[in-house]
Amino acid sequence: MSSAPNNALPMLIAPSILSADFARLGEEVKTVLAAGADWIHFDAMDNHYVPNLTIGPMVCSAIKPYAGSALIDVHLMVEPVDALVPMFAKAGAGLISFHPEASKHVDRTLQIIRDHGCQAGVVLNPATPLACVEHVLDRLDLLLLMSVNPGFGGQSFIASTLPKLRQARALIDRHARESGQRIRLEVDGGVKLDNIGEIAAAGADTFVAGSAIFGSSDYSATIAQLRSSARRLG
Ligand code: DX5
Ligand code: ZN
């Protein structure tokens, strides 16, 4: 994309294990990484912040040995947030992101995440404005834009995410020019082979894909196709 700085971060593919076979989770993690995935995206849901209940620090710890050196990208859809941060850090999370609506003190939560040795991210729902992160950019390693409403895998990409990604890219690039700090721009929800190109063109550099990867019969071919489609337009 023309507004991207020359030092743009390399593209990363982060399969969401929400769509993996939970009865064989360790093996799924190992297989998807061997198939070329960069990160493991880990969706923690609490049936309070979102209407679904998934996995927590114990499962993170259990899959950690199968992830090797790959980063576990923990996406917290829980409320409140702070008490779970040390638990996920101990369980092997490399990056922890959370929704600002779920924390009373966003700046403090970001500090707690970094204090526990993890990279920190904020996640914005489709209707949540970018302005939420304007004053905490210096504390962010990643900004995640939801392209579905959080809670379930297999939903359709919400098109208004594309202009929002372009605005987020401009914000992040301006911040990088002013401070030298580079923040990843991740997108999560409904990312597929037929839309990853335009999502990359809008400025995302980190792509979560759940059903697109785990619903395919050949993880390796799917990840390679996602990468090449993202590169073609990105
Ligand atoms: C939704 C989760 C996503 C989800 C993505 O709340 O945060 O990570 O698993 O799944 P797909 O790629 O199937 O939309
Ligand atoms: Zn997620």
Side-chain angles (χ1 to χ4, degrees):
M1 176 173 184
S2 54
S3 67
N6 294 331
N7 60 355
L9 293 166
M11 170 205 317
L12 297 176
I13 304 283
S16 162
I17 55 171
L18 192 59
S19 293
D21 179 352
F22 272 42
R24 300 185 298 109
L25 205 48
E27 198 187 313
E28 288 272 70
V29 165
K30 214 169 159 174
T31 307
V32 85
L33 288 170
D38 299 296
W39 287 1
I40 293 296
H41 185 80
F42 188 105
D43 289 306
M45 305 185 188
D46 68 349
N47 189 38
H48 174 69
Y49 180 67
V50 290
N52 198 357
L53 184 63
T54 59
I55 44 181
M58 285 172 68
V59 175
C60 186
S61 234
I63 65 161
K64 178 71 179 162
Y66 296 88
S69 60
L71 180 140
I72 302 181
D73 169 28
V74 173
H75 174 190
L76 293 181
M77 287 158 275
V78 303
E79 183 182 356
V81 178
D82 295 1
L84 280 174
V85 169
M87 294 169 79
F88 270 106
K90 197 167 169 225
L95 186 151
I96 299 176
S97 57
F98 64 98
H99 291 250
E101 298 88 346
S103 169
K104 285 208 171 85
H105 306 283
V106 170
D107 184 276
R108 175 182 291 145
T109 303
L110 286 168
Q111 287 189 53
I112 295 172
I113 295 172
R114 282 194 170 168
D115 285 350
H116 282 83
C118 295
Q119 295 183 55
V122 161
V123 193
L124 303 181
N125 285 331
T128 305
L130 279 174
C132 276
V133 292
E134 229 172 275
H135 301 288
V136 292
L137 288 174
D138 59 326
R139 297 207 191 279
L140 289 189
D141 297 291
L142 173 137
L143 173 61
L144 169 51
L145 298 193
M146 290 306 297
S147 37
V148 297
N149 288 294
F152 303 94
Q155 303 180 77
S156 300
F157 185 87
I158 294 174
S160 62
T161 311
L162 291 173
K164 194 176 177 186
L165 277 169
R166 286 190 277 272
Q167 285 173 23
R169 170 49 59 201
L171 180 72
I172 284 174
D173 287 352
R174 190 168 66 238
H175 182 71
R177 281 193 299 273
E178 287 166 6
S179 69
Q181 181 203 353
R182 302 199 294 177
I183 300 170
R184 280 201 168 273
L185 181 54
E186 186 173 39
V187 64
D188 183 7
V191 176
K192 308 276 180 203
L193 277 174
D194 64 5
N195 62 11
I196 195 168
E198 53 182 346
I199 296 168
D205 53 37
T206 307
F207 305 86
V208 176
S211 48
I213 294 173
F214 287 105
S216 76
S217 54
D218 184 342
Y219 299 170
S220 177
T222 304
I223 291 170
Q225 284 164 12
L226 284 167
R227 263 188 220 291
S228 68
S229 305
R231 272 204 199 99
R232 234 188 338 265
L233 287 173

